[in-house]
Amino acid sequence: MLITCPYCGPRDVIEFTYQGDGNRERPDPASQNFEAWNAYVYDRLNPAGDHNEIWQHSGGCRAHLRVVRNTLTHEISSVAFVRGDHGSAARRKAEDKP
Amino acid sequence: MMAEYSAFSLLANALKGNKDWKPAWRKPDPKASYDVIIIGGGGHGLATAYYLAKEHGITNVAVLEKGWLGSGNVGRNTTAVRSNYLLPANTRFYEHSMKMWEGLSHELNYNVMFSQRGCLNLAHTPAQFDDYARRGNAMRHLGVDAELMTPAQIKRLIPALDFSSDARFPVVGGLMQRRAGTARHDAVAWGYARGADRRGVDIIENCEVTGFLRDGDRVTGVTTSRGDIRAKKVAVAVAGSTGRVMRLAGIETMPIESHVLQAFVTESLKPFIDTVVTFGMGHFYMSQSDKGGLVYGGDIDGYNSYAQRGNLPIVDEVMSEMLALFPGLARVRMLRSWGGVCDMSMDGSPIITTGPLPGMYLNCGWCYGGFKATPASGWTFAWTIAKDEPHDFNAPFTLDRFHRGLVIDDKGQGANPRLH
Amino acid sequence: MSPRRTDTGGRIDRLKTIRFTFDGVAYTGHAGDTLASALLAKGVTLFGRSFKYHRPRGLLTAGVEEPNALVTVLKGEVREPNIPATMVEIHDGLVAISQNRFPSLAWDVNAVNQLGGKILSAGFYYKTFMGPVIGPLKGTRFWMFCEHFIRRAAGLGSAGSAKDPARYERMNAFCDVLVVGSGPAGLMAAKAAADQGARVMLADLEPRFGGSTNWSGETIDGAPAAEWARRTVTQLQGRDNVRLLPRTTVWGYYDNNTLAALERVSDHKEQPAKGEPRHRYWAIRARSVVLATGAFERPLVFPGNDRPGVMLAHAAERYVNEFGVLSGERIALFTNNDSAYRAAVALKKAGAAIVAIADVRSELSAEMRKLATEAEAEVLAGHAVVATEGGKAVSGIKVQRFDMLTGALTGDERSIHADCLLMSGGWSPTIHLASQAGAKAEWNAARQAFLPPKPTQQWPTQQWIGAGAFTGSFSTAEAIAEGRAAGLAAAGGTSTPAALPTVEALPGDPDPAPVFEIRAKGKSFVDFQHDVTAEDVRLAHREGFVSVEHLKRYTTLGMATDQGKSSNVPGLAIMAEALSKPIPEVGTTRFRPPFAPVSIGSLAAERFGDLKPERLTPMHDWHLANGATMYSAGLWYRPMIYGLSGETIEQAYVREAKATRESAGIVDVSTLGKIAVQGPDAATFLDRVYTNMFSTLAVGKARYGLMLREDGFAFDDGTTWRLGEQDFLMTTTTANAGKVMQHLEYFLDVIWPELKVHVTSVTDEWAGAAIGGPKARQILAACVTDTAVDNATLPFMGIVRGEIAGVPVMICRLSFSGEMAFEVYSGAGHGTHVWEALIETGKPFGLVTYGLEALGTMRIEKGHVTGAEIDGRTTARDLHLDWMLSKKKPFIGSAMMDREGLIASDRLELVGLIALDNRPLNGGAHIVEALDEANPHGSIGHITACCYSPALGKHIALALVEGGKARHGTRAHVSDPLRNRFGPVEIVSNHFYDPEGTRMHG
């Protein structure tokens, strides 16, 4: 399996570490909504088909990537920096603050 | 009535040119309704059907199998049977299974070839040896056999292990469970199928469940590729496909990820090792089949997959670990590899429970330890279905234990399924 | 001795004689011979014994699909079992032996198994060997007794335990077009792609490229086909953009066009050249793949079809045309298709008599009749072979009139004298790689074969183009056309090519008659190696094992070393007939890697003998030179003790620990994980990562921190030093360094991308030495310059920078041993220099070096936790670290740490134990309230670490015990049935020694 790291280019899966389901939303740190915490820690979508998941290019640039990969065929339809999507948006938001 | 299997029946049939053997199980069409439907014609589903009929007198049962019977993990595993767990809930459950294995061939009148040739966990550092001692003592305090072995004893048992001075990870000892061993995996599925069929259970192959019939929340049956079938109780035993089947019931998330595990076999060899052996400084296990092939495997590939096929990194890793233990095998050849899809749960332990919907019963989350559990899994699941409550043996294996923090985490890896 | 060498022809060099032995007998052959061809030329027809019945077997094939002729190749003590003789190239000094026979190949006692034939039918072992239900052989014992003998009778060759001295290597390769198979289709594809400028790799499992051109006897562009192939290969060889891989089996087709191949680099040589590996494992990433893997000929199933001397027709053609070996003098053929006629002509030309061609078809084309005439063969149209005669070699055959439509045999049997019978049951395309790539094969009724599917049905991550016999196009002319088209397409070329090479070939219809089995009296073999007969297939049907996978698993059809390359389709056909269903409805097997068996050495490659890296601290050599006994901890090596001569391990660590508490000791702590945490938000980040506060930590101070996992369980601990406002140095446990790093990176990248923090692993950049004891400060004062180390300058948990022996160091006053102690960090390159300076300075003060054992002893005395206690299942509360759980802020794990399972009263808690019988305790021993040595039960916990405590003069331990804290002051027992150690203990606080910490604060 090859994952095309946006920084390093196409690399063998051996260079990457799987970090699982990318759909999970971490609750607000101070949240006492235990259902949300439990869902975040323990519950997985685990679809048979396209799966939004996080991989770290641990044997390369060490960036975390958001990968959409089909769990039936292993076909990868998109790869992007995690920071590149909500990451940079969140940072911009933080920077906007006075 | 089908004939009993015995040396005598073999001889008698041989004299008649083997013309009179009957199918091991019937191939009925599904009826419109049953008392219990079991989704999944693998080892666990078939064992559940067998014990429902035998222990609880519930014979109006159908087992629905999407493909051919036993096409899932019961026919894809590396056949090890053991009860050498650390945590009491696991040890008790797997020891119950072990005891059932010890009588299974007679129970089923089918030789499942359970061979108690032992399972040896190799330790490579004193700290690891102490860890194994903790586990072995935990077993002994629950009445399960375990013993520690010295390097000299291990060398006598497995002379082909690398005991040279330049071994990267020298063997400093091991934990042996003598009653552990291997069994003929397919025979387990076939034996349970034949046993269940003889008690009136309908085993229906090529029957894919496409949805659940509901009355409000309650599950009242299934829709299948061979028509709708109603049932008072619907049991799910589809490890590897749990996510897919539960989604049909509207349950979107589960404490499970599906991962592919590869297994390997070499060409047939004359007897090379007698026991199941595991490597302590990586993830590698091996035994030798009666046919002579070395059967072995290692870690899961490590990403969600339903593909029943793996990739090369794990192949290379497993072979490297194999040669670290057995440097004489470099010229032996890997004959076949295959992949199975495992339900990797969030604590590495299974789920056998009522629910999560009314009328539904769930058996899943076996990671890659499901084969050895087959008898106890079927037995406790049948109990749970028949009595609508778990037996003591499976009471800890609930679905809500994760949220409640009552995890059964033998490896201590936390909510990271790829590490269990 | 009927087979013999011809005078001319073939790839062998008759001028070069090669000497080798088989079963101890010396033979000669020629360069270019395989073991099979060389032995066949010497009249050897018996090569092996079958798996179950130990029947004598000869060569069935000439190639990789050989099921019968398996040998073990010996290189001194090192054994290579189960190698087809057809794949062994002979070289001087080759030693091969036959297998699965006792005492000899010719006389095998296990051949007695044949007498039990009907009893030993498919699946017989499922029905018996269960033994009595009571008595000494109840349970699994009877089976295990029988199994003992079954295992010895089963198996083929033997593996050795001597370490293989050979080297294996792995290559990663990238190309535009990988062409698998070098027959006419593969050669054309490679050439066409190379002409387009594509980077091409061409692999073939045979030593010589050309595939069927080596033996077809055809003509291409006016030259013998083999010569045409040679010319084409020469052209390819000269090009920079082409890599040729002979002796290379492409065995695996993985995701994203990653293909795995095995190159047998030096097996065919007496000695590998300098630096040459035995095998090379290629991982090839190909932009596109051309599969030109040809087809396998199928045997026919009839009684006696396994007798040595019965061979596939094309195999005999290969032996004569490629190796110059005639497989017999009086040869008969039995076929359901036209391809066998070509073999008859070739063998006739080479000097054999073709005694008969039995063809199941009653209607034969004029062209075939003409070929038969050319071969001077009697044609028996509408006939079938119903038996073979002879002992360990064919001496004759019996034929009978056969009706293809009904399968009926009529008329009298006729005996024909023959010393070799060639059979052809049609051809099966070699679709294994396509099948691995996810393609589902399609049955083609005309070809009576499974063909690869259309490209539209391929998996998205594997894209290949097929050509030649692989696609069911069996003629050379078609192969050439398809090969070029495939090569062009694979290279993305569009140019209209010049004229194709012209082929002169014998005529022949590619479609066989749909006949697979002749049902007559006697054993008819489907799977030769595993002794699966047609009757076994029918028995499987009778018992309901009718799906293709059940058939395989119940009868073991196709599970042998050849993986059913020749037996799968005949087996399916017989099952289909029993079911009265068309063949495709029985199903097809999905082929799995590898295509052919692969040496395990090649897969381990460079990691064979070198599984994992060794991590050494900067002071490693010093430790070795100064008497340290090293301990392997994960990948690291650390000193366990620095033993004096005659000392036991316990004496050594007791001395080291005692000296440390009395004067001073020094230990190498370089293995601790070290992570630089830097940036404007570093303090905020650490507040979220650790359970306690770090933003309040003053610059120049350190603090002990605890991390939890998201699920609320304890994860790791260590001290973190604030070197600057935005600059922290985090230390982690040795074992968790990598995990913690990944954990931090995940949160920074995925969860809190808004935090401006950078983390860098600096474990290997720093050397660390911990020096502790009442005299530690004096020693430091004596060698540290540029800073004072007094209590005011360097208070507890303070950090200073200074110099030791001219090298900058960073010193933090913190203590694991419980003594007044300091960690001295220097650049890794200066580690030994600083270490030696400290030791030199310390000598007059009585400074000792101590190892892991003394370190462990002192930490147990102090009751500090390590990985044995933070084992992934314990909580902060279990370890009495709840004082570290800040209530002022959320942190990783804070939301989940109070769930019911994590605060239950019966959880295991950390305690101390003192052995009341004054005997050593064991790690991993359990704790019970009431001792029962005979029947241990009622465990309430276990020992995580233990030692003899020189400070207390007692054997003590740390333990995790149910409701531990409440048991302080009570008695319990250690129960260690594994090591037969039982005895009373007192449960105490885990802080055995100096619980107030006066020594380290002092």
Side-chain angles (χ1 to χ4, degrees), chain C residues 28 34 120 139 200 383 389 406 413 476 496 512 629 690 727 798 828 835 934:
Chain C
T28 60
T34 62
L120 307 187
V200 175
H383 276 70
E389 294 169 321
T406 62
E413 286 182 2
T476 302
T496 321
T629 303
Y690 279 119
D727 185 6
W835 174 265

Side-chain angles (χ1 to χ4, degrees), chain C residues 389 397-399 413-417:
Chain C
E389 294 169 321
I397 60 169
K398 285 185 177 165
V399 295
E413 286 182 2
R414 177 183 151 196
S415 290
I416 298 172
H417 171 54

Side-chain angles (χ1 to χ4, degrees), chain B residues 253-409:
Chain B
T253 61
M254 291 283 292
I256 281 174
E257 286 182 3
S258 301
H259 284 252
V260 66
L261 175 68
Q262 300 191 62
F264 309 90
V265 63
T266 68
E267 297 177 320
S268 278
L269 301 167
K270 290 295 177 193
F272 180 78
I273 52 164
D274 228 15
T275 61
V276 182
V277 63
T278 76
F279 182 38
M281 294 306 287
H283 197 168
F284 172 79
Y285 38 89
M286 179 166 98
S287 63
Q288 188 167 17
S289 75
D290 286 336
K291 260 171 57 188
L294 298 173
V295 182
Y296 59 106
D299 243 329
I300 51 177
D301 269 41
Y303 43 80
N304 286 46
S305 175
Y306 287 94
Q308 291 192 335
R309 63 198 301 281
N311 273 302
L312 277 171
I314 283 290
V315 179
D316 308 347
E317 178 66 30
V318 169
M319 306 296 155
S320 302
E321 294 187 9
M322 181 179 194
L323 294 190
L325 285 182
F326 298 102
L329 292 178
R331 290 184 187 225
V332 165
R333 306 193 300 167
M334 187 256 283
L335 173 64
R336 194 168 64 247
S337 69
W338 63 97
V341 178
C342 305
D343 272 9
M344 299 305 294
S345 75
M346 292 289 148
D347 61 358
S349 297
I351 295 157
I352 313 173
T353 185
T354 55
L357 298 173
M360 185 188 243
Y361 303 81
L362 180 61
N363 175 322
C364 64
W366 289 99
C367 298
Y368 38 92
F371 177 65
K372 60 182 167 294
T374 306
S377 169
W379 192 86
T380 55
F381 198 33
W383 175 290
T384 306
I385 295 163
K387 300 190 185 283
D388 274 312
E389 63 179 22
H391 186 271
D392 281 350
F393 284 128
N394 65 310
F397 299 123
T398 60
L399 184 58
D400 67 0
R401 70 173 185 272
F402 303 100
H403 292 191
R404 294 169 64 195
L406 297 166
V407 289
I408 306 163
D409 190 349

Side-chain angles (χ1 to χ4, degrees), chain C residues 248-537:
Chain C
T248 302
T249 309
V250 178
W251 57 262
Y253 201 144
Y254 291 90
D255 285 326
N256 301 104
N257 272 1
T258 300
L259 289 97
L262 172 73
E263 182 185 4
R264 300 180 307 281
V265 182
S266 58
D267 274 348
H268 61 294
K269 301 179 180 177
E270 201 175 353
Q271 286 296 334
K274 192 167 179 233
E276 228 174 28
R278 183 169 100 91
H279 287 171
R280 186 177 288 131
Y281 162 28
W282 290 87
I284 302 167
R285 275 86 183 182
R287 188 156 286 140
S288 50
V289 175
V290 175
L291 295 178
T293 47
F296 288 122
E297 192 171 20
R298 300 190 293 243
L300 285 162
V301 180
F302 58 93
N305 62 345
D306 69 324
R307 197 177 305 284
V310 181
M311 191 184 280
L312 292 175
H314 92 281
E317 207 178 343
R318 273 193 75 177
Y319 283 117
V320 72
N321 282 345
E322 197 171 340
F323 299 96
V325 180
L326 266 176
S327 48
E329 283 174 351
R330 291 177 55 81
I331 297 174
L333 289 97
F334 180 27
T335 187
N336 69 358
N337 70 89
D338 286 359
S339 69
Y341 289 78
R342 189 176 67 185
V345 171
L347 290 158
K348 173 67 192 170
K349 263 190 204 157
I354 309 301
V355 293
I357 301 176
D359 194 318
V360 295
R361 301 170 295 183
S362 48
E363 305 284 331
L364 294 180
S365 67
E367 288 156 327
M368 289 310 109
R369 289 196 179 274
K370 194 165 156 251
L371 291 181
T373 310
E374 204 178 312
E376 294 177 31
E378 178 187 359
V379 178
L380 298 162
H383 276 70
V385 176
V386 294
T388 60
E389 294 169 321
K392 296 186 182 83
V394 171
S395 60
I397 60 169
K398 285 185 177 165
V399 295
Q400 217 177 344
R401 190 163 284 288
F402 176 73
D403 183 337
M404 212 173 83
L405 293 175
T406 62
L409 292 160
T410 51
D412 293 336
E413 286 182 2
R414 177 183 151 196
S415 290
I416 298 172
H417 171 54
D419 58 9
C420 177
L421 173 64
L422 306 183
M423 56 183 167
S424 180
W427 295 76
S428 295
T430 310
I431 57 174
H432 300 62
L433 290 174
S435 174
Q436 286 182 29
K440 202 162 174 344
E442 290 167 1
W443 179 253
N444 182 298
R447 291 284 188 280
Q448 290 288 299
F450 286 102
L451 302 188
K454 306 284 170 291
T456 48
Q457 280 154 301
Q458 293 182 16
W459 275 33
T461 64
Q462 286 97 260
Q463 299 292 331
W464 48 263
I465 305 168
F470 164 83
T471 67
S473 304
F474 292 151
S475 79
T476 302
E478 288 170 296
I480 281 177
E482 289 185 12
R484 185 166 74 183
L488 267 177
T494 48
S495 66
T496 321
L500 286 161
T502 54
V503 179
E504 279 175 54
L506 295 180
D509 182 342
D511 296 338
V515 173
F516 293 88
E517 186 201 358
I518 309 304
R519 292 183 72 165
K521 201 171 149 44
K523 273 201 163 71
S524 305
F525 287 87
V526 183
D527 184 313
F528 289 75
Q529 189 181 120
H530 270 172
D531 286 327
V532 179
T533 64
E535 266 318 302
D536 287 326
V537 176

Side-chain angles (χ1 to χ4, degrees), chain B residues 18 24 69 106 111 115-117 134 137 141 168 184 268 270 281 290 309 311 316 330 334 337 402 410, chain C residues 82 126 131 140 147 154 157 170 255 281 542-543 550 593 598 601 607 612-613 637 873 899 926 975-976:
Chain B
N18 288 320
L69 187 143
H106 287 118
N111 188 357
S115 175
Q116 295 180 288
R117 30 202 345 107
R134 174 187 171 191
N137 275 325
H141 284 81
R168 174 70 177 89
R184 171 83 184 103
S268 278
K270 290 295 177 193
M281 294 306 287
D290 286 336
R309 63 198 301 281
N311 273 302
D316 308 347
M334 187 256 283
S337 69
F402 303 100
D410 235 72
Chain C
N82 303 340
Y126 300 120
T140 57
E147 190 188 31
R170 172 178 167 135
D255 285 326
Y281 162 28
R542 241 168 266 140
E543 298 197 70
H550 282 156
V598 183
R607 291 178 69 193
K612 290 193 178 163
Y637 287 89
R873 288 172 289 261
R899 292 177 295 152
H926 277 238
S975 176
D976 185 5

Side-chain angles (χ1 to χ4, degrees), chain C residues 647-667:
Chain C
E647 260 184 344
T648 63
I649 292 174
E650 186 180 301
Q651 285 166 341
Y653 82 71
V654 166
R655 173 181 53 75
E656 291 170 5
K658 231 171 137 176
T660 303
R661 295 223 188 276
E662 281 166 10
S663 48
I666 184 167
V667 62

